[in-house]
Amino acid sequence: MDSIRTAENPLAVENIGRLIVKFAVPAIISMLVSSLYNIVDQIFIGRGVGMLGNAATNVAFPVSIICTATALLLGIGSASNFNLLSGAGDHEKASQILGTGLSMLGICGAVIAVIVLVFLGPILQIFGVTPDVLPYARDYTGITALGIPFLILTTGGMHLIRADRSPTYSMIGMLTGAIINTVLDPLFIFSFRWGIKGAAAATVIGQAASGMLVIAYFLKFRKVELSVHKMKPRADCLKMILLLGMSSCVNQVAMAFVQITMNNTLRHYGASSVYGSDIPLACAGVISKVNMVFMAICIGISQGCQPIWGFNYGAKKYGRVRETYKKAFGAALAVGIVFFICFQLFARPIVSIFGEGSEVYFRFAERYFKIFMFMTFINGIQPMSGGFFTSIGKAKLGIMVSLTRQVLFLIPLILIFPLFLGIDGIMYAGPIADLAAAVVAIAFAIRELGRMDVPAGGN
């Protein structure tokens, strides 16, 4: 019976290119929509509040990253195990994994929200806030903390919905919240004159709407069997989830550490430069949000391919695993080249979308864009490969690859280069770390693909 189910599953037999489009496009749209929460806020805050508002969202950004890390730890960990177990024919265990993952998403969301609200002041100081930015950061982070349970449930839950073979519903769920946020942002900021508090309120309402759609899916529309009994967290299932979700989580946690280190370094070296402390914080915030669009596409490609990689690896169809990786590699490279051209040729127009500023502000933003993002054309390889290793059950390798850019290369370079180059050293740290991380990811991918034996009978 299990072999019949495997043979009938489209992941095992359908054309790889069509499968990637079917799963990756909704995943990309979902990731883009997720990044729109931050980008739309940044645009309207920049135009309605100004540079200090942009700096405030940058200071608050590590909270969002930590929430995403938790959601990916549980969401991707559950989805990866679900795909591998389904491919191997163990559907009972797969549904237990799904139930444990959903329960833990809700529990962790509530815990993190309470921690942020209770320790808001010290958290913002650690994240690099300046005295001028503090009131804005406190208002924005304090309100958006109320949406943390919905943010984590939505981000993690959408992975589980895709694993349950409903990528379109996942896309619609994310899109609904983003549309609500986009409509309410100008209404709250400009019409109601709520300023940065209005942007935060719009974000929370959008996140709540998406979270309710996740709940509705698993109550009414799911394909997998999921009883109340299976929603009880199981220690053995949680261990399996953490093992395969750790790679994506570590990558996000590393991003949070990089953001915190970056904010504090920019604040320190900016104070002794012509730019001051607030301009570098604001510019880095804008550019990190723009880069989220690029990374959303690359991560969406990886997430869309994960059901294909995981199922076929579990079913020992290694030829299909190889073909999927090669096509994902080509797609990530093509997207990177397009964004590299945009970042190099249109830096000032892109920054201008997020509000006005002095000539000094735009001069720093252009330099930061062109130097720090110089290796954009290969930046999609590392996160895509990290997702590949996780989906085939190589958790330790996925964690190591996820750590390369952020922890092994970027943070040390951010701390060392400014000692000799001042604030420019932060900019040059970016492309060097990106190149090194891409080389490591490609080397390990080649090794793993070469180790897979194509079984008798072809793909």
Side-chain angles (χ1 to χ4, degrees):
M1 177 63 69
D2 290 339
S3 61
I4 294 173
R5 287 178 177 176
T6 298
E8 291 176 346
N9 195 307
L11 292 172
V13 296
E14 193 171 324
N15 176 271
I16 293 295
R18 285 197 294 270
L19 280 174
I20 291 176
V21 171
K22 178 181 178 180
F23 282 90
V25 170
I28 289 169
I29 293 174
S30 295
M31 288 299 300
L32 285 173
V33 169
S34 179
S35 67
L36 280 178
Y37 279 108
N38 291 292
I39 293 171
V40 168
D41 279 354
Q42 194 89 46
I43 291 172
F44 285 117
I45 289 171
R47 295 190 171 275
V49 180
M51 184 186 74
L52 293 178
N54 276 335
T57 61
N58 186 37
V59 170
F61 193 44
V63 173
S64 178
I65 297 175
I66 291 168
C67 292
T68 302
T70 305
L72 295 182
L73 172 67
L74 299 169
I76 290 183
S78 300
S80 297
N81 277 288
F82 180 85
N83 290 323
L84 286 167
L85 291 167
S86 297
D90 192 347
H91 301 286
E92 174 66 19
K93 191 68 173 181
S95 62
Q96 291 176 0
I97 287 282
L98 206 63
T100 297
L102 276 172
S103 299
M104 292 306 301
L105 285 169
I107 293 170
C108 291
V111 170
I112 293 175
V114 171
I115 291 173
V116 172
L117 288 169
V118 172
F119 301 103
L120 181 58
I123 286 172
L124 293 177
Q125 292 297 329
I126 293 171
F127 289 175
V129 73
T130 66
D132 290 340
V133 174
L134 180 59
Y136 299 95
R138 184 182 293 275
D139 286 343
Y140 185 79
T141 311
I143 294 173
T144 54
L146 300 175
I148 285 175
F150 298 110
L151 171 61
I152 292 177
L153 178 62
T154 299
T155 305
M158 293 305 173
H159 289 280
L160 303 183
I161 291 172
R162 281 195 294 272
D164 196 39
R165 292 181 288 127
S166 297
T168 303
Y169 187 99
S170 172
M171 176 185 68
I172 292 172
M174 293 296 295
L175 192 58
T176 299
I179 291 173
I180 291 173
N181 181 47
T182 303
V183 171
L184 293 182
D185 254 334
L187 179 66
F188 289 174
I189 294 173
F190 300 109
S191 298
F192 293 0
R193 300 185 182 278
W194 290 353
I196 201 166
K197 293 180 180 178
T203 297
V204 172
I205 294 171
Q207 290 168 342
S210 291
M212 295 306 295
L213 287 174
V214 172
I215 294 172
Y217 178 86
F218 285 104
L219 286 176
K220 298 182 66 175
F221 305 115
R222 65 184 185 272
K223 296 178 176 64
V224 67
E225 181 184 347
L226 189 63
S227 62
V228 175
H229 174 69
K230 290 177 182 175
M231 291 291 293
K232 181 181 178 180
R234 298 168 180 261
D236 59 330
C237 291
L238 183 59
K239 181 179 179 180
M240 294 170 65
I241 290 170
L242 297 181
L243 184 63
L244 292 191
M246 190 60 67
S247 171
S248 299
C249 174
V250 166
N251 192 39
Q252 290 290 319
V253 171
M255 284 176 61
F257 276 112
V258 168
Q259 190 73 41
I260 295 168
T261 304
M262 183 84 75
N263 288 347
N264 284 283
T265 308
L266 287 169
R267 180 179 63 178
H268 175 75
Y269 288 98
S272 59
S273 72
V274 297
Y275 306 113
S277 297
D278 294 328
I279 285 178
L281 277 178
C283 292
V286 167
I287 292 167
S288 69
K289 302 303 189 302
V290 174
N291 188 50
M292 284 177 62
V293 177
F294 165 65
M295 294 306 296
I297 297 174
C298 294
I299 294 173
I301 292 171
S302 175
Q303 291 178 358
C305 291
Q306 282 180 12
I308 310 171
W309 284 323
F311 187 92
N312 284 287
Y313 190 84
K316 302 187 184 302
K317 291 179 172 288
Y318 300 127
R320 292 176 66 80
V321 176
R322 283 198 190 92
E323 183 182 352
T324 304
Y325 182 85
K326 291 176 183 177
K327 290 184 183 299
F329 185 98
L333 188 63
V335 171
I337 292 171
V338 171
F339 274 85
F340 168 79
I341 294 171
C342 291
F343 290 169
Q344 294 300 312
L345 298 182
F346 308 111
R348 181 174 286 234
I350 293 173
V351 175
S352 299
I353 296 172
F354 294 85
E356 299 300 323
S358 64
E359 181 59 31
V360 175
Y361 168 83
F362 280 108
R363 187 164 66 246
F364 179 85
E366 282 189 274
R367 280 179 54 77
Y368 193 97
F369 234 135
K370 293 182 177 181
I371 298 174
F372 193 82
M373 305 303 299
F374 186 76
M375 298 302 296
T376 297
F377 58 92
I378 61 169
N379 275 0
I381 305 302
Q382 184 244 1
M384 185 274 295
S385 297
F388 164 67
F389 297 132
T390 297
S391 67
I392 63 171
K394 306 288 185 178
K396 293 181 180 179
L397 184 55
I399 292 171
M400 195 197 75
V401 170
S402 296
L403 284 172
T404 52
R405 180 186 184 271
Q406 312 289 359
V407 176
L408 298 183
F409 301 129
L410 188 54
I411 289 181
L413 293 177
I414 288 174
L415 295 175
I416 294 170
F417 278 16
L419 296 174
F420 306 99
L421 300 173
I423 199 167
D424 283 357
I426 300 172
M427 303 183 201
Y428 287 105
I432 296 174
D434 293 337
L435 177 60
V439 169
V440 171
I442 292 171
F444 279 113
I446 291 173
R447 189 191 70 173
E448 288 303 316
L449 291 170
R451 287 178 172 178
M452 295 180 191
D453 295 323
V454 178
N459 290 346

